């Protein structure tokens, strides 16, 4: 037989009760209890927990890598275009900002008229071609002389400029990614080219072919996709554009700095829509997986929830417990997702030097918030369902 | 009266059929009483316990806990009554399988809002009372049925509820464990004047109870005083 009463006449339970009633660490202990409850719940179902964490991580990876890749490509394209050194880009009416998507062309003869506008130092026609075999590359068809007037000339890693129609210049990153060097053959748009030289990257494209060859391949003889324009005095940019607009009112003239800024931001209409779609899909996946996971959990733990309710746990207690559990899953998933995204970005750049995955702090924050939100949205219904359970029915659940 | 029912009725819907679990139960239990309820399976014992434990509302009539009508309470108020006034021991121990014994006891304190900062201090006394002090770090699955039920009793009494309800607490136990549980109830009633209502078929428990209520077909058919227990009169 055990003895309930202590020496001072109080019961053992009274002594215990007064002890914890007096305790200053009651809240801390409560928090610890909550943590143990959450961790025990997660640890008891390792497969479900792992799958949920991986789903959140996947959501973060999806957002960071796809948007990082889109941003990286546009950003890098912007930098490369800026690297051409021109002040103005001159395009046909209705042309796209995404140069690779352009079909409109301009007559080469227009270049001479542009050159006559006061304040213009040099004009270089460029015929764009998109090489979709082995990735997506914009190929510049150029006249070396006029292109050099704009760019100040290539920095050579090896070789020389074109001396024939079937020669190509490649930049150092493209050469490295494809293992090319001077004298090698390369297939571009079904046309065999010989690498005449390797140049420093950063001047518009990664591949340069003679303008006439590009025109012949595109079936646009004596035409160009755009003109790069260099001014005598870049400070007079607006004056020159005003004059050009009078001369060529229907054409599109964009200061290169403005173009670069547009390419480096997420404000480009096409990119913005793409990003919204990617984020929506990623969040949708996250919501679905967390919903399914938590719904399963609630069903599996019906009896446990009934026990907690029978002990006097409020609906709010149940809801917050489930939300806290989801929050733990989300935080772990987010951390794994961010780390994995950076590793993937490194891997992509190592495997494909011409691709850049640009993961910014802003998008890391956004992806984390989206992942957390999707977790919370996915948990809302299951947690409310759990809290609404009748304790008697829940305890009887098998 | 700590517990009182007046013409208490409870009807369940099973598909399209109404099942009357309780058909006009009138009951008055004073503080400090140890009341045993017995009756055949399906006679409404558990339903009565669930209503007395503020886990279900009556369909008709009144159930009063310390003078407060359960039927008039909203969910939040019922939850508070369960938390503050009721300790419930089920036939199955109904412990949380993912938590240790210590945490199963602590969770009741946590919900009650009385968790301390030292788990050893918090639980050791109660654990000693129930001879489970060396099992505190174990999971329920590592305990015998008797030990699990003792943990469930520890959890039920740890917040000093004014009413302890036990639905066939020894139903799944062997005689030795039944005796330990019986001792526990006896001591709680004798020394703490704990009001205890238990559903049981255990003759030893019935023999000790101050009062025996017999139920049949959702009604009380006999209510007899067996021997003196602590009451408020």
């Amino acid at each position: 037989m055990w003895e309930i009463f202590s020496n001072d006449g109080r019961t053992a339970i009274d002594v215990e009760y007064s002890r914890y009633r007096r305790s200053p660490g009651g809240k801390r202990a409560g928090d610890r209890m909550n943590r143990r409850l959450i961790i025990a719940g997660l640890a008891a179902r390792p497969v479900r927990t792992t799958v949920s964490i991986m789903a959140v991580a996947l959501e973060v990876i999806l957002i960071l890598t796809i948007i990082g890749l889109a941003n990286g490509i546009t950003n890098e394209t912007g930098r490369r275009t800026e690297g051409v050194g021109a002040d103005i880009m001159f395009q046909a009416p209705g042309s796209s900002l995404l140069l690779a998507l352009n079909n409109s062309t301009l007559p080469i003869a227009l270049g001479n008229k542009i050159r006559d506008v006061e304040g213009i130092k040099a004009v270089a026609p460029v015929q764009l071609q998109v090489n979709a075999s082995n990735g997506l590359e914009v190929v510049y068809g150029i006249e070396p002389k006029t292109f050099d007037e704009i760019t100040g000339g290539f920095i050579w890693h090896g070789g020389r400029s074109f001396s024939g129609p079937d020669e190509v210049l490649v930049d150092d990153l493209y050469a490295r990614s494809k293992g090319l060097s001077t004298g090698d053959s390369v297939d571009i748009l079904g046309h065999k080219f010989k690498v005449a030289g390797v140049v420093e990257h950063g001047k518009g494209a990664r591949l340069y072919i003679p303008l006439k060859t590009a025109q012949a391949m595109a079936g646009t003889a004596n035409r160009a996709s755009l003109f790069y324009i260099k001014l005598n005095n870049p400070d007079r940019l607006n004056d020159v554009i005003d004059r050009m607009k009078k001369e060529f009112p229907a054409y599109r003239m964009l200061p290169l700095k403005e173009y670069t800024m547009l390419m480096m931001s997420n404000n480009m209409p096409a990119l913005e829509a793409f990003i919204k779609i990617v984020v929506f899909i990623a969040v949708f996946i996250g919501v679905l997986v967390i919903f399914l996971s938590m719904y399963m959990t609630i069903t599996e733990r019906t009896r446990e929830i009934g026990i907690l309710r029978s002990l006097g746990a409020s609906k709010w207690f149940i809801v917050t417990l489930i939300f806290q559990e989801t929050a733990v899953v989300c935080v772990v998933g987010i951390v794994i997702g961010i780390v994995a995204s950076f590793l993937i970005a490194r891997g992509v750049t190592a495997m494909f030097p011409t691709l850049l995955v640009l993961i910014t702090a802003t998008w890391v924050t956004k992806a984390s918030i989206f992942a957390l939100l999707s977790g919370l949205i996915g948990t809302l219904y299951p947690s409310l369902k759990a809290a609404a359970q009748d304790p008697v029915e829940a305890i009887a659940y098998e | 009266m700590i517990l009182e029912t007046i013409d208490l009725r409870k009807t369940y819907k099973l598909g399209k059929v109404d099942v009357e679990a309780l058909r006009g139960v009138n009951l008055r239990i004073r503080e400090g009483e140890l009341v045993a309820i017995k009756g055949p399976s399906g006679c409404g014992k558990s339903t009565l316990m669930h209503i007395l434990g503020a886990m279900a509302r009556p369909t008709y009539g009144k159930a009063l806990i310390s003078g407060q009508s359960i039927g008039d309470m909203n969910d939040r108020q019922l939850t508070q009554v369960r938390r503050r006034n009721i300790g419930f021991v089920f036939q199955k121990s109904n412990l949380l399988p993912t938590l240790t014994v210590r945490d199963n006891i602590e969770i009741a304190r946590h919900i009650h809002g009385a968790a301390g900062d030292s788990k050893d201090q918090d639980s050791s006394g109660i654990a000693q009372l129930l001879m489970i002090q060396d099992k505190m770090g174990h999971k329920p699955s590592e305990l015998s049925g008797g030990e699990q039920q003792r943990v469930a009793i520890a959890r039920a009494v740890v917040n000093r509820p004014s009413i302890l309800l036990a639905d066939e607490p020894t139903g799944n136990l062997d005689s030795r464990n039944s005796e330990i549980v019986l001792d526990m109830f006896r001591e709680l009633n004798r020394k703490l004047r704990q009001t205890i209502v238990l559903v049981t078929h255990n003759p030893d428990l019935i023999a000790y109870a101050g009062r025996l209520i017999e139920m049949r077909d959702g009604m009380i058919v006999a209510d007899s005083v067996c021997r003196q227990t602590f009451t408020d009169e």
Side-chain angles (χ1 to χ4, degrees):
Chain A
M1 175 74 68
W2 29 262
E3 186 51 64
I4 284 180
F5 287 96
S6 63
N7 292 337
D8 59 3
R10 291 186 301 161
T11 67
I13 294 174
D14 282 336
V15 172
E16 290 305 308
Y17 189 68
S18 59
R19 232 182 234 161
Y20 63 69
R21 272 299 192 202
R22 284 199 308 269
S23 164
K27 189 180 180 306
R28 278 204 310 276
D31 291 343
R32 270 205 306 271
M33 188 70 240
N34 257 17
R35 274 203 298 276
R36 286 205 292 274
L37 203 55
I38 291 162
I39 291 166
L42 292 172
R45 294 162 185 85
V47 174
R48 180 189 65 80
T49 303
T50 308
V51 169
S52 303
I53 288 172
M54 287 303 125
V56 175
L58 186 70
E59 182 182 350
V60 173
I61 291 168
L62 199 64
I63 293 174
L64 289 183
T65 52
I66 294 182
I67 290 173
L69 198 59
N71 280 339
I73 289 170
T74 52
N75 195 293
E76 210 263 343
T77 306
R79 277 184 200 286
R80 263 192 284 148
T81 309
E82 187 185 31
V84 169
D87 296 306
I88 298 169
M89 184 193 286
F90 189 99
Q91 292 177 286
S95 296
S96 168
L97 269 180
L98 298 171
L99 303 183
L101 303 180
N102 276 337
N103 288 323
S104 314
T105 53
L106 304 156
I108 288 286
L110 194 62
N112 296 327
K113 286 188 183 170
I114 295 170
R115 215 170 272 122
D116 290 342
V117 175
E118 187 191 336
I120 287 178
K121 183 180 175 185
V123 178
V126 174
Q127 174 63 47
L128 299 171
Q129 289 277 41
V130 179
N131 181 28
S133 63
N134 266 336
L136 193 71
E137 283 298 340
V138 175
V139 183
Y140 272 17
I142 58 168
E143 295 169 337
K145 184 176 169 294
T146 54
F147 199 68
D148 281 356
E149 282 171 5
I150 299 284
T151 63
F154 288 117
I155 298 166
W156 293 91
H157 283 239
R160 48 164 179 76
S161 190
F162 315 119
S163 61
D166 299 328
E167 289 187 332
V168 62
L169 302 181
V170 298
D171 80 1
D172 55 331
L173 294 181
Y174 188 86
R176 182 144 49 95
S177 72
K178 305 288 180 196
L180 295 173
S181 54
T182 309
D184 288 345
S185 285
V186 59
D187 190 69
I188 299 167
L189 296 164
H191 194 111
K192 238 181 184 35
F193 285 90
K194 186 178 155 197
V195 178
V198 179
V199 298
E200 176 77 20
H201 64 275
K203 291 199 190 301
R206 297 200 184 282
L207 301 166
Y208 309 88
I209 58 175
L211 179 63
K212 287 200 182 309
T213 308
Q215 288 167 336
M217 287 165 73
T220 54
N222 296 316
R223 296 185 78 83
S225 306
L226 58 89
F227 289 107
Y228 281 123
I229 299 168
K230 197 166 182 71
L231 306 184
N232 289 319
N233 181 2
D235 293 339
R236 309 299 300 271
L237 177 73
N238 291 336
D239 297 339
V240 176
I241 285 185
D242 287 343
R243 280 197 285 274
M244 286 173 72
K245 277 184 177 165
K246 279 180 193 156
E247 288 281 329
F248 316 103
Y251 293 87
R252 178 176 186 150
M253 286 149 257
L254 197 64
L256 249 284
K257 279 196 184 349
E258 200 176 302
Y259 172 81
T260 309
M261 276 173 64
L262 272 171
M263 294 295 279
M264 288 181 182
S265 72
N266 297 327
N267 301 328
M268 239 190 330
L271 190 63
E272 201 178 0
F274 172 75
I275 285 172
K276 277 182 183 167
I277 290 167
V278 169
V279 169
F280 176 78
I281 292 171
V283 170
F284 192 67
I285 291 172
V287 169
L288 274 186
V289 174
I290 295 287
F291 173 84
L292 276 175
S293 167
M294 295 317 289
Y295 194 84
M296 286 283 290
T297 304
I298 300 311
T299 309
E300 279 176 24
R301 292 164 73 178
T302 299
R303 196 184 176 89
E304 287 178 42
I305 291 160
I307 294 166
L308 290 172
R309 293 281 285 141
S310 75
L311 291 172
S314 64
K315 288 181 174 178
W316 177 245
F317 180 92
I318 303 292
V319 168
T320 50
L321 191 70
I322 294 165
F323 267 102
Q324 285 173 349
E325 200 170 301
T326 303
V328 171
V329 166
C330 286
V331 168
V332 176
I334 286 167
V335 171
I336 292 173
I338 291 170
V339 172
S341 298
F342 277 103
L343 291 176
I344 289 169
R346 275 192 166 198
V348 166
T349 309
M351 285 173 70
F352 310 100
T354 56
L355 289 181
L356 175 70
V357 183
L358 189 67
I359 299 174
T360 61
T362 308
W363 271 105
V364 168
T365 310
K366 280 184 182 175
S368 305
I369 292 170
F370 287 137
L372 205 56
L373 273 180
S374 63
L376 297 182
I377 293 167
T379 306
L380 191 63
Y381 175 73
S383 67
L384 292 177
K385 183 177 184 279
Q389 277 171 0
D390 180 82
V392 175
E393 286 175 16
I395 285 173
Y397 184 84
E398 294 290 347
Chain B
M1 288 300 140
I2 195 161
L3 286 173
E4 186 174 2
T5 66
I6 303 162
D7 193 20
L8 182 65
R9 291 166 192 271
K10 180 72 179 177
T11 306
Y12 290 111
K13 261 202 169 347
L14 282 178
K16 289 180 180 173
V17 182
D18 287 344
V19 178
E20 278 191 295
L22 296 176
R23 300 194 296 164
V25 172
N26 291 294
L27 179 66
R28 289 159 70 87
I29 296 172
R30 286 168 295 171
E31 195 174 346
E33 270 195 288
L34 197 165
V35 180
I37 300 175
K38 75 169 196 175
S41 178
C43 71
K45 305 183 299 283
S46 293
T47 302
L48 177 62
M49 294 294 269
H50 291 149
I51 293 174
L52 296 179
M55 288 201 280
R57 287 192 186 87
T59 309
Y60 182 82
K62 276 191 181 298
L64 307 168
I65 297 177
S66 300
Q68 290 183 294
S69 173
I70 286 174
D72 298 336
M73 291 180 192
N74 59 27
D75 186 80
R76 194 174 57 83
Q77 289 166 325
L78 285 176
T79 302
Q80 274 181 5
V81 168
R82 287 201 296 274
R83 189 187 308 151
R84 291 177 184 164
N85 301 89
I86 309 289
F88 209 111
V89 181
F90 301 90
Q91 183 175 4
K92 288 179 183 172
S93 59
N94 278 338
L95 299 175
L96 294 168
T98 57
L99 296 183
T100 61
V101 167
R102 177 181 288 113
D103 288 343
N104 263 288
I105 298 171
E106 284 293 311
I107 189 73
R109 287 183 162 177
H110 175 48
I111 289 168
H112 191 263
D117 64 348
S118 164
K119 55 191 174 190
D120 290 335
Q121 277 183 355
D122 289 346
S123 306
S124 59
I126 311 280
Q128 272 182 338
L129 295 179
L130 287 149
M131 294 181 279
I132 49 171
Q133 68 272 29
D134 58 335
K135 304 285 182 186
M136 296 298 270
H138 290 243
K139 292 274 176 69
S141 58
E142 296 161 354
L143 306 180
S144 69
E147 287 166 338
Q148 287 183 23
Q149 197 61 312
R150 278 183 269 156
V151 176
I153 293 170
R155 185 181 64 184
V157 300
V158 73
N159 292 318
R160 296 264 350 241
S162 51
I163 303 155
L164 179 62
L165 303 170
D167 191 355
E168 301 202 43
T170 59
N172 289 337
L173 303 185
D174 57 25
S175 57
R176 186 183 159 273
N177 278 300
S178 293
E179 198 176 321
I180 294 169
V181 170
L182 173 64
D183 274 351
M184 176 72 193
F185 285 133
R186 188 182 288 158
E187 291 298 297
L188 283 168
N189 177 249
R190 189 168 61 87
K191 295 190 173 171
L192 298 178
R193 299 191 62 197
Q194 172 78 60
T195 307
I196 302 174
V197 181
L198 46 91
V199 169
T200 186
H201 294 287
N202 184 325
D204 292 333
L205 265 178
I206 291 171
Y208 183 76
R211 186 173 157 195
L212 175 64
I213 292 170
E214 291 181 65
M215 290 184 70
R216 190 163 297 137
D217 299 330
M219 291 185 290
I220 292 176
V221 292
D223 187 347
S224 52
V225 175
C226 308
R227 57 175 283 262
Q228 187 62 46
T229 52
F230 290 87
T231 67
D232 57 358
E233 289 177 9

